[in-house]
């Protein structure tokens, strides 16, 4: 794992934006795995800036989203389909047919999940997966005790996650109980995993993910087994890491060719 601790979420998202831009410049038809929630919004703003101010071209990029609620219409205010359009897709030049988001209204969910996995393989696999982490250690919606080898499937949300996500709902609408999520095995197949965590609410999950034992109780800890996982944190999310000074020294003393 490469642990990058920066002063705040904006600084972390700028580095993330550069990592994404470098990839697309090198490989214009890169396959991106994308995430929703509060955390990646600033990264998406950076990607939009790269597109509008520096001409970064998304016309050949393909995307796969991590997850979607079951039962919400595509244009429901809380659907991840809508989130992606509002926070990224409407502002960049990615063709409609290049975007993939699990369909939470699929009639045959099991088949839909198999097809989603097959399409990722067909497109050549995910080059870079953007991730956040839940306060309970989940990646995507792989809640604690998810198999670390799981594939895209239906999942029941943990109460802690439903509680965390209440802030996205209006007028007392309940957070759905079920979702479709890529599995931990799917995430582990990405060539690079780029995870962001900001704020003190994430400090425990980050500590377990980076320095704890690998355990299905903290699905994020599976990234310890990933050959190319980059973890971008602000000071608050890094507050419980025992080796924070070491991670900072490593980052600040990288040879120039290794910097972003
Ligand atoms: P958040 O969610 O970015 O809204 O905190 C992260 C996650 O659940 O993965």
């Amino acid at each position: 794992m490469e642990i990058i601790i920066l002063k705040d979420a904006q600084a972390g998202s700028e580095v993330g934006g550069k990592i994404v831009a470098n990839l697309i410049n090198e490989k214009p038809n890169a396959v991106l795995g994308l995430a929703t929630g509060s955390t990646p919004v600033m990264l998406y703003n950076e990607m939009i800036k790269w597109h509008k101010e520096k001409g970064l071209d998304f016309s050949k990029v393909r995307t796969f989203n991590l997850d979607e609620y079951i039962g919400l219409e595509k244009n429901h205010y809380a659907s991840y389909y809508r989130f992606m359009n509002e926070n990224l897709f409407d502002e960049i030049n990615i063709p409609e047919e290049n975007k993939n988001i699990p369909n939470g209204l699929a009639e045959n969910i099991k088949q839909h999940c198999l097809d989603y996995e097959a399409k990722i393989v067909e497109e050549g696999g995910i080059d870079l997966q953007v991730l956040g982490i839940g306060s309970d250690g989940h990646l995507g919606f792989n809640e604690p005790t998810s198999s670390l080898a799981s594939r895209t499937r239906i999942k029941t949300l943990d109460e802690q996650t439903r509680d965390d996500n209440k802030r996205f709902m209006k007028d007392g609408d309940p957070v759905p109980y079920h979702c479709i999520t890529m599995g931990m095995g799917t995430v582990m197949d990405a060539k690079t995993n780029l995870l962001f965590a900001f704020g003190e609410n994430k400090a425990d999950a980050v500590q377990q993910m980076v320095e704890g034992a690998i355990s299905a109780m903290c699905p994020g800890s599976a990234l310890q087994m990933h050959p190319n996982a980059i973890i971008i944190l602000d000071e608050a999310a890094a507050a419980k890491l025992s080796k924070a000074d070491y991670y900072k020294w490593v980052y600040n003393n990288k040879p120039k060719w290794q910097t972003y």
Side-chain angles (χ1 to χ4, degrees):
M1 279 179 166
E2 178 179 12
I3 316 296
I4 302 176
I5 303 170
L6 294 165
K7 70 176 192 314
D8 57 23
Q10 179 57 33
S13 302
E14 284 173 18
V15 171
K18 264 193 224 156
I19 293 172
V20 173
N22 288 348
L23 170 68
I24 296 174
N25 281 325
E26 253 170 51
K27 183 176 179 184
N29 67 343
V31 178
L32 299 182
L34 298 176
T36 52
S38 307
T39 307
V41 171
M42 269 190 261
L43 169 73
Y44 296 155
N45 288 340
E46 291 302 310
M47 288 163 64
I48 293 165
K49 257 197 239 162
W50 272 92
H51 172 64
K52 294 195 169 163
E53 294 170 16
K54 294 185 190 150
L56 187 68
D57 180 17
F58 289 85
S59 65
K60 298 195 180 77
V61 168
R62 285 117 350 122
T63 64
F64 286 89
N65 263 77
L66 276 171
D67 46 19
E68 177 61 284
Y69 290 120
I70 285 183
L72 300 188
E73 294 292 333
K74 274 185 170 179
N75 278 316
H76 185 280
Y77 67 83
S79 82
Y80 288 169
Y81 178 90
R82 179 148 175 182
F83 175 100
M84 288 311 301
N85 284 338
E86 287 179 352
N87 288 287
L88 180 65
F89 294 152
D90 288 351
E91 305 295 330
I92 58 173
N93 65 331
I94 182 161
E96 186 59 35
E97 63 274 18
N98 290 14
K99 311 166 194 170
N100 299 277
I101 299 180
N103 177 4
L105 293 176
E107 265 181 39
N108 184 339
I109 289 177
K110 204 169 170 188
Q111 188 59 48
H112 178 64
C113 293
L114 289 171
D115 293 346
Y116 201 73
E117 288 276 335
K119 181 116 191 258
I120 293 173
V121 173
E122 214 174 278
E123 300 284 346
I126 292 171
D127 291 300
L128 181 144
Q129 174 68 54
V130 173
L131 294 167
I133 184 165
S135 63
D136 66 357
H138 72 215
L139 298 193
F141 273 141
N142 292 285
E143 298 287 22
T145 72
S146 287
S147 159
L148 299 183
S150 51
R151 311 303 307 192
T152 303
R153 69 206 183 292
I154 187 170
K155 195 72 197 157
T156 307
L157 298 180
D158 191 275
E159 263 323 288
Q160 191 172 331
T161 300
R162 292 188 63 248
D163 203 47
D164 285 346
N165 286 4
K166 265 187 200 148
R167 68 190 196 280
F168 295 113
M169 306 308 289
K170 292 182 192 161
D171 306 327
D173 285 349
V175 177
Y177 283 89
H178 293 104
C179 64
I180 294 175
T181 181
M182 279 185 200
M184 285 308 304
T186 327
V187 169
M188 292 296 283
D189 282 349
K191 294 175 191 91
T192 296
N193 272 300
L194 178 60
L195 184 146
F196 299 84
F198 304 128
E200 62 181 339
N201 186 38
K202 301 294 172 72
D204 285 316
V206 165
Q207 194 280 331
Q208 282 185 41
M209 167 177 70
V210 175
E211 296 182 345
I214 296 173
S215 164
M217 284 303 285
C218 176
S221 64
L223 292 181
Q224 293 177 29
M225 297 287 291
H226 193 274
N228 197 16
I230 306 168
I231 314 294
I232 298 186
L233 308 171
D234 65 0
E235 291 282 355
K240 296 194 173 168
L241 293 175
S242 67
K243 295 186 75 66
D245 290 343
Y246 170 67
Y247 310 137
K248 286 182 190 170
W249 195 93
V250 171
Y251 184 67
N252 291 326
N253 292 279
K254 281 170 85 154
K256 198 163 169 38
W257 59 267
Q258 239 191 10
T259 57
Y260 301 115

